Amino acid sequence: MTRPRAIWSIATTRRLVQLIVLATFVALVLGTRWDATTPSRAERLRTFFAVDPLVLVTTLLAAHSVPKILFWSLATLGVTCLLGRVFCGWFCPLGTCHAMASRLLRPGIRQRKQWGRWDSWQGLKYYVLFAFLLAAAFGMRWIVILDPIVLLTRTTATALYPATYWALKETRNSVYRNDPGIGPARLAKVTDPTFDWLNRNVFGAEGMPDPVYLGGGLVLGLFALTLALNAWRPRFWCRYVCPTGALLGLFSWRPLLRRSVLSENCNHCDLCGMHCHGAAAIEPGGAWKPMECFVCVDCRESCPRGGLRFKFALPMLKDPELAAVDFSKRGMLLSTAGGIAMLGAMRIHPQSRGRQYAPQLVRPPGSRAEPEFLARCLACGLCMKACPTGGLQPSWSEAGLEGLWTPVLKPQIGQCDYDCGAGNLCGRVCPTQAIVRLTLEEKHATKIGLASFDVTRCIPYAYGRNCMVCEEHCPVPDKAIFYIEVEITDRTGGKTKIKQPHVDPEKCIGCGFCEKVCPFKDRPAIRVTSANESRHPADPSLRPEGNQPILPGEAAPYG
Amino acid sequence: MNNMNRRDFIVGSAAGAVALSASSLLRGAAAAETPAMTIAKWSGAKELDAAQMKQAAVKLTEKAIEGIGGLKRFVSQGSVVWVKPNIGWDRAPELAGNTNPDVVETIVRLCFEAGAKTVKVGDNPCDLAAKSYVSSGISDAAKRVGAQVVFLDKTRAKEVAIKGERVKSIPIFPEMIECDLMINVPVIKHHALATATMCMKNYMGVIEKRNTFHQDIATCITDLTRFLKPRICLLDAVRILTNHGPRGGDPKDVAVKLAVAASTDIVALDAWGAEVLGKSVNDIPSIAKGVEYGLGRSDYRAIAREIAVT
């Protein structure tokens, strides 16, 4: 009894939903940018973080407080209790990427024996999750950097988008420069307007700096690698690694929606197993692990005999077809030990508890004190995407392993824009408020670092010529860089007057515009370090002379 | 014109050439009588609200251009004109960090009236271009009268040998120098290093890699001006920045002067600007350098005519 293939099936609906969610996600990442008219548009991607339960759980454990919007993810947990891991199968944009890669890389049906077979290593992700949730309870939220929404946001913002941008732009420029043309026809007349249109309407990067990110190639490489692993096991990331999948798995131990096999229709052909995304089936026609099932319903679609069905059951009803992922005592013990070991390992770095500050660790304005910042920051890269100058970069070593990919200002790439959109755009888009929202007045009063001259390089000091480009660009209205005219002696003994610049530590906010524009492009002669930053008020490098304004969050204890 | 043969074409072109040269001769004769520089000064009501201020800026610009014989002298039919304001900074018009948007709007309109096919407006700001174009009010103003607002692409700047005294070659934005005419429309501002930034200094928006210019700014901007060979400049003194320039930001540093000057002599304009800013011509080394290279004269009074505008 062969069932005719339906033209429109539940699986088709699912694929449509997945594509729409993925497209929305990418559009919102691209939309996270400075906008003259509607600054709040940049915040829309936070919706995706709001429904991600791992973001809620780790932030709550590590920082003990979260923005209210994140509690929406409780709804995700509720849905998971009812329907199982539909988040993974229907919603997750990273899951969709892996599903597409799996489909592209999947072998012929005859080579697909191991494709959908449950592998006990899939249990590893649960142990890893336990270990890191334990560490999160001690303030170390590191696991969340592997969360699928966080990971895909970072990958799209700092790798996929810039790579696409540069590929298109370099093509356009090379056509423009080398266009031979056929008679009056010029290829550049097509490529130039096309790119300009994309740049204006899709990238929104017109009149903005070109996107560049430190180590973006490595982020792209890691992403390509995880996609490639789908050739070995489909949805490798989702099955073996994803911590959010593991968390949702715990909530779909006994979902209401269950798969059942009609034994009279089943001939144990294992077609369903060969189509299974999550490797939730143990043996042909046998029991099923809802904790590993993405509810993609491809098994139901694949069965030519209509032998599979999804139906609702009472939650606590025992079911012979239901199998759990077993956790061993030894595994749990190892996981506990591993969590504590990881916590310790991260804390080896002197940076970790805010006892010592790396000079290059210039955090965006509104950042909380370092320990609290690290407890909240997801390293999602949204602030870096939003930063209008592109100066916010993923950190690789400045903040230790615990602070991998967290934002750090690299003034040589871009300064902290003085009149940034409606205060600090980085704070507006931050999903966990590791960077607090500031008004423009608060931002102007926030010091993120201090500029200092390297007088062995600075041109008026070291080479006896005028320069003052830093003074000219200093955005503080009454100038944090000032000059003193001095008489210098040149090598022939002649005297000339020259303007030598100085930094006023009271006025300097550490925006780094001076460093950006210094004629020295190798190692600027004026550089910003994290000294004097407002977020560590108890530890000023230079004691303020006057009354300094107290900013929100400043009085928070740290260390 | 559909059935034009070779003979018709040759005859037609010859006639056209004669007509063209005759008209340019006539134009040259007219130019000799019109002053090389006009200073339009407001002599109407002293206290102006925002709308009146805008009207004053428009009138001053119109009169200044009219005074030097109108834009038809410079803009040929169907040509492409680049209006180059100073959009250096992410600053509102009231802070005088950039050229007055109403002045820019008026000059764009006058270009179209004089027969320009396309008018492009753009600069290479120090702050973010997208933000500066908007906050300066220039983007909206220029678009209102049909100009193309162009963002310069740093990856397209082309190294050009300009063979100056100090600057031998520099990356220049090709779109700007490929236009038929560039009208330089800066604002008068204090400048910590160059004392003042006016017409000659405004050409720093045509290039990239400009931050080494400051080591000898007078020579460098003179080199650039010699290469660009300006035909007409307009200097905006509706509001000027008197201190903490060129960026400014404090309303206390802004003075309302309500004047606009136009000239074919870039040095004379800068000399006038220096006086408006309360400096002497000798305070600004680029003026002397410009005179030295024959770019113009510093005794602007010899060629300027003042017009009172109400």
Side-chain angles (χ1 to χ4, degrees):
Chain A
M1 53 176 267
T2 308
R3 205 170 51 130
R5 272 187 99 88
I7 297 169
W8 191 272
S9 63
I10 300 178
T12 318
T13 314
R14 188 202 78 234
R15 283 184 206 111
L16 195 66
V17 170
Q18 282 181 297
L19 285 176
I20 291 170
V21 174
L22 180 63
T24 312
F25 177 85
V26 172
L28 291 184
V29 173
L30 290 177
T32 306
R33 62 188 187 224
W34 177 82
D35 187 318
T37 46
T38 35
S40 60
R41 190 180 291 171
E43 301 165 24
R44 290 182 189 164
L45 188 70
R46 298 201 309 161
T47 331
F48 275 86
F49 292 88
V51 296
D52 184 332
L54 189 69
V55 170
L56 174 74
V57 170
T58 46
T59 313
L60 210 51
L61 279 175
H64 311 296
S65 86
V66 288
K68 284 195 195 76
I69 185 178
L70 294 188
F71 283 104
W72 280 105
S73 63
L74 292 177
T76 309
L77 293 180
V79 170
T80 309
C81 290
L82 297 176
L83 306 176
R85 287 169 64 181
V86 282
F87 181 90
C88 308
W90 289 63
F91 182 82
C92 177
L94 185 65
T96 306
C97 295
H98 285 298
M100 290 194 294
S102 306
R103 180 75 177 74
L104 279 172
L105 299 170
R106 96 180 160 184
I109 193 87
R110 281 174 216 291
Q111 281 85 49
R112 230 185 281 163
K113 272 287 169 209
Q114 285 305 310
W115 216 71
R117 180 70 60 240
W118 155 259
D119 174 359
S120 56
W121 281 102
Q122 285 173 233
L124 186 68
K125 63 177 178 292
Y126 294 96
Y127 293 114
V128 172
L129 179 73
F130 293 145
F132 276 98
L133 285 185
L134 186 70
F138 291 97
M140 206 275 286
R141 62 52 172 135
W142 200 79
I143 190 67
V144 83
I145 74 170
L146 301 179
D147 175 274
I149 303 291
V150 171
L151 187 141
L152 192 62
T153 303
R154 172 173 57 240
T155 307
T156 311
T158 68
L160 293 171
Y161 158 60
T164 313
Y165 177 93
W166 280 109
L168 295 173
K169 183 159 185 167
E170 293 286 281
T171 309
R172 174 198 72 148
N173 278 352
S174 125
V175 168
Y176 169 78
R177 290 198 193 97
N178 308 308
D179 196 359
I182 303 161
R186 289 275 180 286
L187 192 55
K189 288 198 171 163
V190 181
T191 51
D192 272 8
T194 309
F195 181 81
D196 290 345
W197 185 88
L198 279 173
N199 203 24
R200 185 175 309 129
N201 301 301
V202 180
F203 301 147
E206 196 184 43
M208 300 298 266
D210 296 315
V212 287
Y213 293 96
L214 293 170
L218 201 52
V219 172
L220 191 65
L222 285 172
F223 185 66
L225 182 71
T226 58
L227 286 184
L229 281 168
N230 288 310
W232 181 58
R233 284 285 188 279
R235 299 199 66 161
F236 174 86
W237 179 271
C238 316
R239 286 185 192 182
Y240 293 90
V241 186
C242 185
T244 307
L247 181 65
L248 292 171
L250 296 178
F251 284 84
S252 58
W253 176 55
R254 276 187 190 173
L256 262 61
L257 186 68
R258 291 178 193 179
R259 191 206 71 164
S260 74
V261 179
L262 302 169
S263 49
E264 64 272 24
N265 287 1
C266 177
N267 65 353
H268 300 269
C269 71
D270 203 22
L271 264 178
C272 53
M274 290 172 191
H275 284 87
C276 184
H277 284 210
I282 300 166
E283 58 197 30
W288 160 76
K289 291 180 188 295
M291 289 170 77
E292 294 296 295
C293 173
F294 303 152
V295 207
C296 69
V297 301
D298 272 7
C299 51
R300 179 180 173 277
E301 307 288 323
S302 71
C303 184
R305 300 162 66 93
L308 278 157
R309 192 170 283 181
F310 278 83
K311 60 178 189 192
F312 285 98
L314 286 174
M316 282 305 146
L317 193 70
K318 286 217 171 183
D319 188 338
E321 289 189 62
L322 228 59
V325 175
D326 298 317
F327 302 117
S328 68
K329 269 188 201 144
R330 196 193 329 189
M332 293 305 282
L333 215 61
L334 273 172
S335 158
T336 310
I340 293 169
M342 272 311 283
L343 179 70
M346 297 281 187
R347 295 290 148 83
I348 293 172
H349 198 276
Q351 188 70 55
S352 63
R353 291 282 81 186
R355 275 183 231 103
Q356 188 181 329
Y357 307 107
Q360 320 91 308
L361 190 68
V362 179
R363 294 285 193 200
S367 295
R368 291 169 191 263
E370 189 63 13
E372 210 191 331
F373 181 85
L374 283 183
R376 283 172 178 259
C377 177
L378 307 172
C380 66
L382 264 192
C383 50
M384 304 166 204
K385 176 69 181 70
C387 181
T389 66
L392 276 188
Q393 293 287 321
S395 105
W396 288 84
S397 63
E398 293 86 348
L401 181 60
E402 189 174 354
L404 180 70
W405 295 325
T406 55
V408 56
L409 185 78
K410 293 286 171 195
Q412 266 192 287
I413 299 174
Q415 76 280 15
C416 178
D417 191 32
Y418 189 68
D419 290 324
C420 185
N424 57 343
L425 206 51
C426 44
R428 284 192 81 100
V429 301
C430 182
T432 54
Q433 289 296 286
I435 310 170
V436 179
R437 287 173 171 225
L438 301 177
T439 63
L440 203 52
E441 289 70 39
E442 286 169 337
K443 185 197 173 283
H444 287 170
T446 303
K447 294 175 190 294
I448 59 173
L450 178 66
S452 59
F453 283 103
D454 180 348
V455 295
T456 64
R457 290 172 75 77
C458 178
I459 291 165
Y461 289 96
Y463 304 105
R465 298 181 191 182
N466 271 316
C467 182
M468 300 285 290
V469 183
C470 50
E471 190 271 358
E472 175 184 353
H473 283 76
C474 178
V476 180
D478 47 354
K479 297 285 176 190
I481 299 179
F482 61 97
Y483 56 87
I484 296 174
E485 200 158 38
V486 294
E487 195 177 69
I488 57 154
T489 312
D490 62 26
R491 63 186 288 181
T492 59
K495 307 272 186 201
T496 38
K497 283 205 161 174
I498 196 169
K499 288 167 175 169
Q500 284 182 341
H502 297 264
V503 176
D504 181 343
E506 299 283 317
K507 293 200 170 77
C508 179
I509 54 170
C511 73
F513 208 175
C514 46
E515 183 173 337
K516 163 103 168 102
V517 297
C518 179
F520 284 107
K521 293 298 171 208
D522 54 337
R523 184 154 51 89
I526 182 165
R527 293 191 292 275
V528 170
T529 68
S530 58
N532 248 17
E533 49 185 350
S534 313
R535 67 191 185 119
H536 296 132
D539 188 37
S541 313
L542 290 155
R543 185 65 60 190
E545 285 172 351
N547 287 325
Q548 298 288 307
I550 302 284
L551 294 167
E554 246 191 23
Y558 69 100
Chain B
M1 296 284 275
N2 284 339
N3 302 318
M4 182 189 251
N5 59 28
R6 192 159 166 266
R7 187 191 151 86
D8 286 344
F9 176 76
I10 291 170
V11 171
S13 334
V18 170
L20 262 179
S21 50
S23 75
S24 59
L25 274 174
L26 284 173
R27 231 188 253 176
E33 286 155 25
T34 49
M37 176 165 169
T38 312
I39 304 161
K41 277 189 179 165
W42 186 254
S43 61
K46 285 275 169 273
E47 296 293 315
L48 301 181
D49 63 22
Q52 289 166 324
M53 190 95 162
K54 183 182 164 75
Q55 273 180 355
V58 171
K59 269 192 189 166
L60 287 166
T61 311
E62 285 172 348
K63 291 291 172 195
I65 291 290
E66 204 180 293
I68 57 164
L71 275 187
K72 282 223 166 73
R73 261 181 81 187
F74 308 95
V75 177
S76 41
Q77 285 295 320
S79 60
V80 181
V81 181
W82 192 291
V83 171
K84 161 71 179 75
N86 184 332
I87 322 179
W89 308 97
D90 181 9
R91 289 282 189 239
E94 295 71 31
L95 293 170
N98 307 304
T99 305
N100 189 306
D102 304 316
V103 171
V104 177
E105 184 177 338
T106 311
I107 190 88
V108 170
R109 177 167 54 76
L110 292 176
C111 285
F112 279 121
E113 284 170 12
K117 181 183 72 181
T118 309
V119 180
K120 298 181 180 184
V121 176
D123 192 9
N124 179 19
C126 298
D127 274 331
L128 295 168
K131 292 185 74 183
S132 308
Y133 276 30
V134 173
S135 54
S136 65
I138 290 176
S139 177
D140 284 345
K143 280 181 192 159
R144 260 199 302 275
V145 281
Q148 277 180 28
V149 174
V150 183
F151 288 102
L152 297 167
D153 186 341
K154 291 181 197 300
T155 60
R156 295 246 280 229
K158 209 165 95 185
E159 193 78 26
V160 177
I162 69 168
K163 301 191 181 89
E165 183 186 324
R166 275 200 88 138
V167 187
K168 301 299 173 198
S169 96
I170 193 90
I172 298 191
F173 294 105
E175 304 99 304
M176 284 175 133
I177 53 172
E178 281 163 13
C179 278
D180 299 315
L181 174 72
M182 193 200 294
I183 304 181
N184 188 10
V185 193
V187 57
I188 303 175
K189 289 193 289 177
H190 165 257
H191 193 282
L193 185 77
T195 315
T197 162
M198 295 167 299
C199 296
M200 284 169 72
K201 174 98 182 30
N202 195 35
Y203 282 133
M204 281 180 73
V206 180
I207 54 164
E208 268 287 281
K209 288 190 188 162
R210 53 194 167 185
N211 51 12
T212 52
F213 270 42
H214 281 206
Q215 291 158 36
D216 182 359
I217 198 137
T219 313
C220 291
I221 61 176
T222 307
D223 285 348
L224 198 55
T225 310
R226 282 165 61 207
F227 173 75
L228 291 169
K229 298 186 181 64
R231 286 171 54 205
I232 172 175
C233 304
L234 196 74
L235 190 51
D236 161 28
V238 177
R239 293 188 193 88
I240 66 167
L241 185 66
T242 57
N243 202 2
H244 295 127
R247 190 182 174 120
D250 192 336
K252 285 199 290 286
D253 296 332
V254 178
V256 177
K257 294 286 181 185
L258 290 171
V260 173
S263 179
T264 52
D265 184 331
I266 191 166
V267 182
L269 270 182
D270 276 5
W272 170 74
E275 287 185 12
V276 175
L277 198 62
K279 309 278 179 194
S280 105
V281 168
N282 302 327
D283 293 336
I284 296 150
S286 60
I287 294 179
K289 203 83 194 178
V291 172
E292 186 189 321
Y293 276 106
L295 291 172
R297 56 204 296 172
S298 57
D299 54 336
Y300 71 90
R301 284 191 180 81
I303 54 165
R305 195 176 72 189
E306 226 175 276
I307 303 175
V309 181
T310 52

